[in-house]
Amino acid sequence: WRELTMLMEYATAWTYRLLPWTTPPDFLWFVILWVSVVSSLGVAAFYFIGLRLTRAPPLALAAAAAYGLSYAALSDLIGTYGFQCFAMPMILASLAFFIAALDPEEKNPSVFRILSGLTMALALASWHVTRFYLATFFLAGFYGLWQSRKNPAALERLKKSLGILLGFAFAAGA
């Protein structure tokens, strides 16, 4: 049990308490809608991942639709309250920010590096399975470092991005 956190439950309760209700809705219905809205943010993150990778909005939209209509995404959107409902959009957002930080055309990659680290830290703090994703991500990152050894600019961008992500992961307790 020490691996489980209450971050998702706190976020749900804080949202319920902070919204200016004239008449508060039934909490059960609020939770169902809250999970659906939060889970659907992963579809937007997937669109931005596709957009950064392909530079083609139609392809990015197709990728986001394929993810959004997949069983994995739909099962989170229909009102389940698993930890992945809260963490998956943050994992995907972290990946989208990481990809943006690696873009050689990006004028300020440091902002995206920090955003990638922050969203990954929140995902790590909310779902214990995120550690397995992060371990796989770093293995791919080390392979990317090895592949980038002949391109000093790409190697430097990747080293900085992985370093900041690693720092935020340690800060989150991973």
Side-chain angles (χ1 to χ4, degrees):
W1 293 107
R2 83 178 176 89
E3 302 297 328
L4 300 179
T5 69
M6 298 292 291
L7 184 62
M8 185 172 83
E9 288 81 358
Y10 286 135
T12 306
W14 291 332
T15 306
Y16 185 77
R17 289 184 181 178
L18 291 176
L19 288 174
W21 308 108
T22 52
T23 306
D26 177 55
F27 188 67
L28 175 64
W29 282 107
F30 172 77
V31 170
I32 291 169
L33 291 174
W34 186 87
V35 168
S36 297
V37 169
V38 170
S39 294
S40 68
L41 296 176
V43 177
F46 215 92
Y47 173 78
F48 288 113
I49 290 169
L51 191 60
R52 280 290 180 159
L53 291 176
T54 66
R55 306 266 193 240
L59 285 176
L61 189 59
Y67 169 73
L69 295 172
S70 71
Y71 177 74
L74 287 174
S75 64
D76 286 342
L77 288 172
I78 58 170
T80 60
Y81 197 66
F83 293 118
Q84 75 276 7
C85 298
F86 188 68
M88 192 56 70
M90 287 184 274
I91 291 170
L92 291 172
S94 176
L95 179 60
F97 292 136
F98 191 86
I99 290 169
L102 295 180
D103 188 349
E105 297 174 12
E106 183 56 52
K107 294 188 186 340
N108 196 358
S110 297
V111 172
F112 290 108
R113 290 179 186 128
I114 291 169
L115 288 172
S116 176
L118 280 172
T119 51
M120 182 53 67
L122 284 172
L124 285 164
S126 63
W127 189 31
H128 61 287
V129 180
T130 306
R131 293 177 191 171
F132 298 109
Y133 162 80
L134 192 61
T136 305
F137 186 85
F138 276 116
L139 285 174
F142 294 140
Y143 178 74
L145 289 171
W146 181 70
Q147 289 286 24
S148 300
R149 65 191 185 281
K150 294 179 182 167
N151 183 343
L155 182 64
E156 190 62 28
R157 281 191 307 274
L158 186 55
K159 283 191 326 192
K160 286 180 181 178
S161 298
L162 285 172
I164 289 176
L165 190 64
L166 183 63
F168 276 98
F170 278 129

